[in-house]
Amino acid sequence: MRWKVATALASLIGLSTAQLARYVSPSDSSVSFSLNIPSSTSSSGSGAIFFQIRGPASGKSWIALGIGSGMAGSHIFVVYTDGSGNVTVSARAGQGHFEPEFSSDAEITLLGGSGIVDGSLIANVRCDNCLSLAELSVTNTRSNWIWADKDGSGLDTSDVEATIRQHDRTGTFTFDLTAAAGGDSSNPFVQSVRSSTSAAATGTGTRTSSGSTPTSSNPSSGSNGDDQNLGSGSSDTTTSGASSINKMLKIHGILMGLAFAVFFPFGSVIIRLLPGPHKADVHMVVQIIGFGLSIAGLAYGIMVAQDLRYITETHPIIGMVVMGGLFFQPIVGLIHHWLFKAKGKRTILAYIHTYWGRALLILGIVNGGLGLQLADNTTGGTIAYSVVAGVMGLAWLSASVLYYVRGGSKAAIGAKLEKPLSPDGLRE
Ligand code: HEM
Ligand code: HEM
Ligand code: HEM
Ligand SMILES: *[C@@H]1O[C@H](CO)[C@@H](O)[C@H](O)[C@H]1NC(C)=O
């Protein structure tokens, strides 16, 4: 362990400097994040911690560090130029995949050494309550952190609530908090320090824009077994990680939306309203197409959910339950249909197919709304989905009600006494 050697050397030559854990962006070695936990904090388990966010003086709109494993639930610190040679540190609460809102929960102080210094943008920060806020234990050797940055011209504002645009790169990594412990400085970043860059932090990153080839200045990046990020640790495979996720997400939403808000309700209207003997065949064809679309959509949903570690969210869970239940629907429908043709009357399977099908479709349509919420889709997308789902749902409801008002299956069977057997036994 290199840092152990470093620590041993430091103590040998009598340095009582602060110990820093450091993580360098895998895509841009000028972007780095450092952490120090002073001895007083590490021994008592509570107290202030120090961190530094560093990047190039120009070319970055903002750079951020967050305590957490993903945007949702993270305590995020966004740094940008303040327009007068110093930096603004904006503490924000991550709540999902959208702009984190300013939060005054974190008690932070900008320290000396911060500003645009020698071609670098530097924020040296003391946070008095970060440990308790993020429920971090000083003995945690694998605490979860996130980072992100955005290319562009400086924001040049001292407004801590400034609007920021979505990142070009993100990553997750872990800090070994025990490796960051040491020193009693009130500003560990202004003195010469021993930095334990290599072993104290491990992680991966992903870029959403084509940037320069990442220089691997972080010897441990991607080499640990902790690759939970969008891409693996190797830079090539992460290049388009997030944008391909967005594409997969869109395909998933469109396929599922078509299946649950268009095809399934349409097929259900057909079985109730289409005149003539072929309503069951048309219903079958429409529902099988919908079924195919939803299975393709499921595949994309699973890929997105795995990548974003979302498989435990309500939306994917309900979605998988619905898809699992749907599996029986065409089988039961077909058997019912054959039995009906053979026996000339409805079996219990008709009711199973009908009520099971209705329950699944309603769940599925509602789940589409949850998906839009989870993805934080644009209001336009949400409105479009709601309108289509609403119209189709209403048509379906009216069709079913109309069917029962007209006498439903009794009328159908009554009609059959005079007429030759209709293939599905439904009223014509
Ligand atoms: C306007 C502000 C922001 C928007 C709209 C936004 C949006 C998103 C979206 C849509 C994703 C998932 C897909 C992708 O990677 O592109 C994401 C992921 C991520 N974002 Fe943000 N973000 C914002 C700010 C931030 C900030 C300030 C941080 C600070 C560290 C951050 C850290 C991350 C990380 C680490 C991920 C990957 C892990 C995860 O899925 O949570 N984001 N963001
Ligand atoms: C994933 C595929 C399918 C789904 C989601 C589905 C869904 C539904 C739903 C929701 C209803 C009730 C409509 C209402 O609300 O009144 C229904 C009725 C019906 N379905 Fe399907 N269906 C599927 C496949 C099939 C197949 C393959 C057949 C075979 C021909 C079939 C035959 C029928 C019949 C005959 C009825 C009328 C039952 C009755 O009331 O007697 N369905 N289906
Ligand atoms: C009833 C079935 C389902 C329907 C109707 C449905 C529909 C949707 C829709 C409309 C979106 C929003 C897409 C967008 O904004 O572009 C979405 C997002 C999502 N879906 Fe589904 N989905 C279903 C099942 C599933 C399943 C089975 C999974 C995973 C196993 C899944 C995973 C996801 C994830 C992870 C997101 C959001 C990703 C993000 O936050 O960025 N969905 N879904
Ligand atoms: C930036 O602000 C901090 C905190 O007020 C201060 O200590 C630091 O010296 C300032 N940096 C510059 C370059 O003015």
Side-chain angles (χ1 to χ4, degrees), residues 336-348 350 413 416 421-422 424-425:
H336 155 65
H337 189 50
W338 290 329
L339 282 181
F340 187 90
K341 282 203 282 195
K343 293 188 172 178
K345 63 178 175 45
R346 289 170 121 203
T347 58
I348 180 85
I413 288 164
K416 239 180 10 258
L421 191 65
S422 110
D424 53 13

Side-chain angles (χ1 to χ4, degrees), residues 161-250:
E161 302 189 38
T163 300
I164 58 170
R165 306 255 317 276
Q166 188 173 339
H167 31 71
D168 293 319
R169 288 165 218 88
T170 66
T172 60
F173 62 95
T174 59
F175 266 143
D176 177 351
L177 298 189
T178 63
D184 269 309
S185 172
S186 59
N187 185 350
F189 303 108
V190 290
Q191 59 197 72
S192 77
V193 287
R194 302 293 105 190
S195 142
S196 61
T197 307
S198 25
T202 52
T204 59
T206 179
R207 294 176 298 146
T208 56
S209 68
S210 50
S212 58
T213 316
T215 46
S216 187
S217 59
N218 179 357
S220 59
S221 111
S223 61
N224 60 330
D226 192 35
D227 287 356
Q228 315 158 309
N229 199 21
L230 299 177
S232 71
S234 109
S235 42
D236 285 342
T237 55
T238 59
T239 305
S240 59
S243 62
S244 78
I245 280 188
N246 287 339
K247 209 176 288 165
M248 291 195 297
L249 177 63
K250 204 168 274 170

Side-chain angles (χ1 to χ4, degrees), residues 35-38 41 47-51 67 125-127 130-131 145:
L35 178 74
N36 168 249
I37 299 183
T41 299
I49 63 170
F50 299 95
F51 59 84
I67 315 176
V125 180
R126 185 184 76 233
C127 179
C130 276
L131 284 182
W145 296 70

Side-chain angles (χ1 to χ4, degrees), residues 55-84:
S58 61
K60 296 285 180 199
S61 170
W62 56 264
I63 303 173
L65 173 68
I67 315 176
S69 55
M71 281 192 76
S74 277
H75 300 279
I76 296 176
F77 305 95
V78 187
V79 174
Y80 35 85
T81 52
D82 74 348
S84 51

